[in-house]
Amino acid sequence: MADNARGFTFYHYQPSIAAATVFIITFAISAIIHTKVLFQKKTWYFIPFVLGCLFEAVGYLGRAMSSTESPNYTKNPYIMQSILLLLGPTLFAASIYMILGRLVVLLEAESYSMIRPRWLTKVFVLGDILSFFAQGGGGGMLTQAKSEDDVRRGENIIIGGLGIQIAFFGFFMVVTMVFHRRIVRNPTRSSLTLPTPWGKLLVVLYISSMLIMVRSVYRVAEYVMGSEGEFQSKEVYLYCLDALPMLIVAIAYNWFHPSRVVSRENFRHISVTSLEVLG
């Protein structure tokens, strides 16, 4: 619960080394498996997701390092865990956005998408980038805070970044549901003939989207309540509402990797320009 030289409280509890170690190992294993499949299947659109897993693993490494420093916490491990755990899910989201754009093209269902496929990925990834830099900037400001005003300013910037993420992700979920409903009602030729379980991929998209949304809402509440609030006073909330949901997302795509549906082999069966495929 120690403060740094400038009066900013790093932790309101002693971080658990056991919990941190569990998530270091599990995220690292997930990242290794994802990296192997990434190169095997050449699913380059999944690079942000792999980086997200690494951000999570290194972030919890920072928490493990902090757990050995109580009560005289140092700044660098705190910065590691604060910034990387804040930004990891943003990288997950970037790949999830690209999956939907490619799936729409693969199923030759461009007319069923609320946003044209060539713009779908660009629009959502742009929102993701804005969210990424806002959260990163706010997190950086928070770790360098010299006063309560600096802390509140950093928290407000983070809240703004998370708000951008929630807004874009909420709209993404609407776009996904509308697309799903339309293609179920009026299947395209490709949706009926392609020997790929694209329906299961949509289910994984729904699950991962909901988990990221829950985590983002929790983070907003955490920063709105402030450093003295309930969420920042107990570590259990971080693991139940952030670590665990993000681990489930990572493992979900280990279990059902998008390459089972969105792959180069499957795109060879349809006639689209490379620009449309790349979204």
Side-chain angles (χ1 to χ4, degrees), residues 6 10 13 16 19 23 88 107 113 115 128 144 158 160 164-165 169 171 175 203 205 222 228 232-233 237 262:
R6 287 166 286 210
F10 285 148
Y13 49 77
S16 167
F23 284 93
L107 298 179
S113 176
I115 303 175
D128 208 48
Q144 300 297 324
I158 291 172
I164 293 171
Q165 185 177 64
F169 220 89
F171 183 43
V175 171
V203 171
L205 278 178
E222 177 189 24
E228 300 299 326
Q232 290 194 36
S233 66
Y237 292 115
V262 183

Side-chain angles (χ1 to χ4, degrees), residues 21-41:
T21 301
V22 168
F23 284 93
I24 292 168
I25 294 171
T26 49
F27 274 115
I29 292 173
S30 180
I32 290 170
I33 296 172
H34 278 305
T35 301
K36 179 182 177 182
V37 177
L38 176 74
F39 285 100
Q40 286 179 336
K41 301 295 185 178

Side-chain angles (χ1 to χ4, degrees), residues 257-271:
H257 196 273
S259 63
R260 292 177 60 181
V261 177
V262 183
S263 65
R264 293 188 174 204
E265 292 77 13
N266 288 330
F267 274 118
R268 290 178 186 144
H269 293 85
I270 61 177
S271 178

Side-chain angles (χ1 to χ4, degrees), residues 160-228:
L162 288 166
I164 293 171
Q165 185 177 64
I166 289 172
F168 274 85
F169 220 89
F171 183 43
F172 170 78
M173 293 172 69
V174 171
V175 171
T176 303
M177 289 186 286
V178 169
F179 167 73
H180 193 186
R181 185 183 63 183
R182 288 174 177 175
I183 199 167
V184 168
R185 288 182 176 180
N186 298 288
T188 61
R189 177 184 59 83
S190 293
S191 69
L192 294 173
T193 59
L194 280 174
T196 57
W198 59 266
K200 289 183 179 180
L201 180 57
L202 279 173
V203 171
V204 176
L205 278 178
Y206 285 135
I207 293 172
S208 58
S209 296
M210 284 300 302
L211 289 172
I212 291 176
M213 181 65 77
V214 167
R215 175 264 176 193
S216 296
V217 170
Y218 151 69
R219 282 293 194 170
V220 168
E222 177 189 24
Y223 286 106
V224 166
M225 293 169 68
S227 59
E228 300 299 326

Side-chain angles (χ1 to χ4, degrees), residues 42-61:
K42 295 181 173 58
T43 50
W44 309 128
Y45 61 86
F46 222 59
I47 290 175
F49 196 97
V50 176
L51 291 176
C53 288
L54 294 175
F55 271 37
E56 295 283 345
V58 178
Y60 287 107
L61 176 61

